[in-house]
């Protein structure tokens, strides 16, 4: 029996060697055969922040590096534009659809159309809330709940010796978006059992610098004795800092400021003593998006969730070690 098995293996090896010998000739026989280029449809939600613009650049530059044909559509903050873009990708029969959903709800129908068309979908940056999670192949981005926890942990450490109450105001991101919901949840989770901390007012700045300033002016007028600002992104934080200074207060000293993202201007503001902590949320995930998209185009499975590796920047760090942020 063993002898027969040995012979079978040798025969297979023999024919395999011919295959190896003929393969290059076969390849030369079809020099005209085009290497198929992957076509990727990307729906970007808008241009609301330095983070978003950095994310768009990262996607576009990575597609170039990976030789992927990119159809890039900017929805200018409107979900209906993202749905139209996804439908156009389906009509064009792209190989893969990637999108950053502006909010979590409202995607079931268009994702069912993509599934019907046999086009895999990768979520980039933000998550969706759909009945059937088979409508998308996976997600790459940040753990927003963990980002909220990291913000709260800094606050607990920074105000350990503060007397009660520590009065907090919160500038939140786009209502219904996964970063807004996750950051708020994680922040509250760590403060829940500590009555010293009061979230006195929470108001949406929609991730926009202009709205961050506008809402901080309102908070300064309506909320007495603010001790802490927790802001869901650096753009709103930078707007809020303007409002705090125009009110004659010192950001980072009279009001402790905790932000999220890690854009260059925010790191510079820590160095200037105007922000106390920035929880990193990187937009620079283009290469990893392309690698996942190539696997999907090849019909390969990908992880359901791929998280970016991120850190926390604080006023206690040696920020001379932090290079150019790239966004
Ligand atoms: C987070 C991302 C958020 C950023 C904001 O992954 O979706 O949107 O925190 C951006 O700066 O506008």
């Amino acid at each position: 029996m063993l002898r027969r098995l040995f012979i079978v293996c040798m025969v297979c090896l023999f024919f395999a060697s011919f295959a190896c010998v003929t393969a290059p000739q076969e390849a030369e026989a079809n020099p005209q055969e085009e290497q198929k280029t992957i076509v990727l449809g990307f729906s970007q939600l808008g241009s609301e922040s330095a983070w978003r613009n950095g994310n768009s650049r990262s996607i576009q530059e990575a597609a170039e590096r990976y030789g992927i044909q990119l159809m890039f559509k900017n929805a200018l903050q409107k979900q209906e534009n993202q749905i139209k873009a996804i439908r156009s990708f389906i009509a064009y029969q792209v190989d893969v659809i990637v999108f950053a959903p502006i909010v979590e709800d409202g995607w079931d129908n268009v994702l069912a159309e993509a599934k019907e068309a046999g086009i895999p979908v990768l979520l980039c940056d933000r998550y969706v809330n759909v009945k059937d999670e088979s409508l998308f192949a996976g997600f790459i981005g940040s753990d927003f709940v963990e980002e909220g926890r990291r913000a709260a942990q800094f606050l607990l450490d920074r105000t350990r010796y503060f007397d009660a109450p520590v009065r907090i105001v919160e500038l939140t991101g786009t209502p219904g978006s996964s970063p807004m919901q996750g950051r708020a949840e994680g922040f509250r989770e760590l403060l829940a059992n500590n009555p010293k901390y009061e979230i006195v007012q929470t108001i949406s700045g929609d991730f926009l610098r202009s709205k961050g300033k506008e809402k901080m002016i309102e908070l300064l007028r309506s909320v007495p004795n603010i001790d802490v600002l927790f802001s869901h992104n650096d753009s709103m934080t930078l707007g809020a800092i303007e409002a705090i200074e125009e009110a004659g207060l010192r950001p980072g000293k009279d009001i402790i400021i905790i932000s999220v993202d890690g854009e260059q201007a925010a790191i510079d503001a820590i160095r200037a003593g105007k922000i106390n902590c920035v929880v990193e949320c990187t937009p620079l995930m283009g290469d990893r998006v392309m690698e996942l998209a190539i696997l999907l185009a090849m019909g390969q499975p990908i992880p359901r969730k791929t998280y970016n590796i991120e850190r926390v920047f604080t006023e206690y760090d040696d920020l001379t070690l932090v290079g150019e942020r790239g966004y």
Side-chain angles (χ1 to χ4, degrees), residues 48-49 51-52 125-126 144 179 183 207 232-233 261 281:
E48 76 283 1
S49 59
W51 191 102
R52 185 65 50 200
D125 170 32
R126 296 191 182 176
F144 301 120
R183 288 166 187 169
F207 287 133
H232 288 194
N233 88 323
D261 278 350
C281 174

Side-chain angles (χ1 to χ4, degrees), residues 105-165:
D105 295 331
W107 306 101
D108 299 78
N109 293 340
V110 72
L111 294 184
E113 292 165 28
K115 184 175 182 180
E116 180 64 29
I119 302 174
V121 174
L122 171 66
L123 303 180
C124 171
D125 170 32
R126 296 191 182 176
Y127 216 68
V128 294
N129 175 27
V130 290
K131 293 184 186 63
D132 172 8
E133 291 228 334
S134 74
L135 293 179
F136 61 91
F139 160 84
I140 177 169
S142 302
D143 181 342
F144 301 120
V145 177
E146 179 56 26
E147 288 174 348
R149 292 191 194 105
R150 290 178 178 182
Q153 187 56 60
F154 174 83
L155 177 61
L156 290 168
D157 296 342
R158 182 64 170 72
T159 59
R160 185 178 308 278
Y161 304 111
F162 278 37
D163 294 331

Side-chain angles (χ1 to χ4, degrees), residues 8-263:
V8 168
C9 288
M10 292 315 290
V11 168
C12 292
L13 275 174
F14 173 76
F15 281 110
S17 64
F18 263 94
C20 296
V21 166
T22 52
Q25 288 156 5
E26 273 171 19
E28 279 155 24
N30 307 307
Q32 295 75 26
E33 193 175 294
E34 281 294 301
Q35 185 69 33
K36 170 147 177 36
T37 300
I38 293 170
V39 182
L40 188 160
F42 190 96
S43 167
Q44 182 58 286
L45 66 87
S47 311
E48 76 283 1
S49 59
W51 191 102
R52 185 65 50 200
N53 296 333
N55 181 246
S56 295
R57 264 197 316 280
S58 178
I59 295 293
Q60 290 160 339
E61 290 170 1
E64 189 81 29
R65 274 195 297 276
Y66 281 75
I68 286 175
Q69 183 185 334
L70 182 68
M71 293 174 70
F72 184 93
K73 290 181 182 279
N74 187 321
L76 302 177
Q77 305 336 111
K78 291 188 179 356
Q79 180 173 28
E80 63 264 27
N81 290 345
Q82 289 202 278
I83 291 171
K84 282 181 198 150
I86 292 170
R87 287 195 166 121
S88 71
F89 298 150
I90 294 168
Y92 192 84
Q93 295 180 355
V94 300
D95 297 300
V96 188
I97 292 171
V98 184
F99 77 116
I102 187 166
V103 291
E104 291 200 344
D105 295 331
W107 306 101
D108 299 78
N109 293 340
V110 72
L111 294 184
E113 292 165 28
K115 184 175 182 180
E116 180 64 29
I119 302 174
V121 174
L122 171 66
L123 303 180
C124 171
D125 170 32
R126 296 191 182 176
Y127 216 68
V128 294
N129 175 27
V130 290
K131 293 184 186 63
D132 172 8
E133 291 228 334
S134 74
L135 293 179
F136 61 91
F139 160 84
I140 177 169
S142 302
D143 181 342
F144 301 120
V145 177
E146 179 56 26
E147 288 174 348
R149 292 191 194 105
R150 290 178 178 182
Q153 187 56 60
F154 174 83
L155 177 61
L156 290 168
D157 296 342
R158 182 64 170 72
T159 59
R160 185 178 308 278
Y161 304 111
F162 278 37
D163 294 331
V166 176
R167 297 165 57 80
I168 304 161
V169 293
E170 180 185 29
L171 284 173
T172 66
T174 305
S177 69
S178 37
M180 176 265 169
Q181 293 173 150
R183 288 166 187 169
E185 177 188 334
F187 188 71
R188 284 160 176 74
E189 181 188 296
L190 250 62
L191 301 182
N193 301 323
N194 195 326
K196 174 170 143 180
Y197 297 91
E198 292 175 15
I199 300 176
V200 181
Q201 180 76 272
T202 183
I203 191 167
S204 172
D206 210 12
F207 287 133
L208 295 166
R209 180 169 182 151
S210 55
K211 231 171 156 184
K213 178 173 183 176
E214 175 196 322
K215 296 303 178 186
M216 193 66 209
I217 289 170
E218 287 176 26
L219 290 168
L220 288 163
R221 285 180 183 154
S222 59
V223 178
N225 309 321
I226 297 172
D227 297 306
V228 178
L229 165 64
F230 171 45
S231 168
H232 288 194
N233 88 323
D234 294 340
S235 294
M236 295 189 294
T237 302
L238 295 166
I241 286 172
E242 288 175 37
I244 292 167
E245 290 178 323
E246 287 170 13
L249 297 171
R250 299 170 300 166
K253 296 174 183 59
D254 298 326
I255 296 178
I256 288 172
I257 297 184
I258 302 169
S259 187
V260 187
D261 278 350
E263 70 174 79

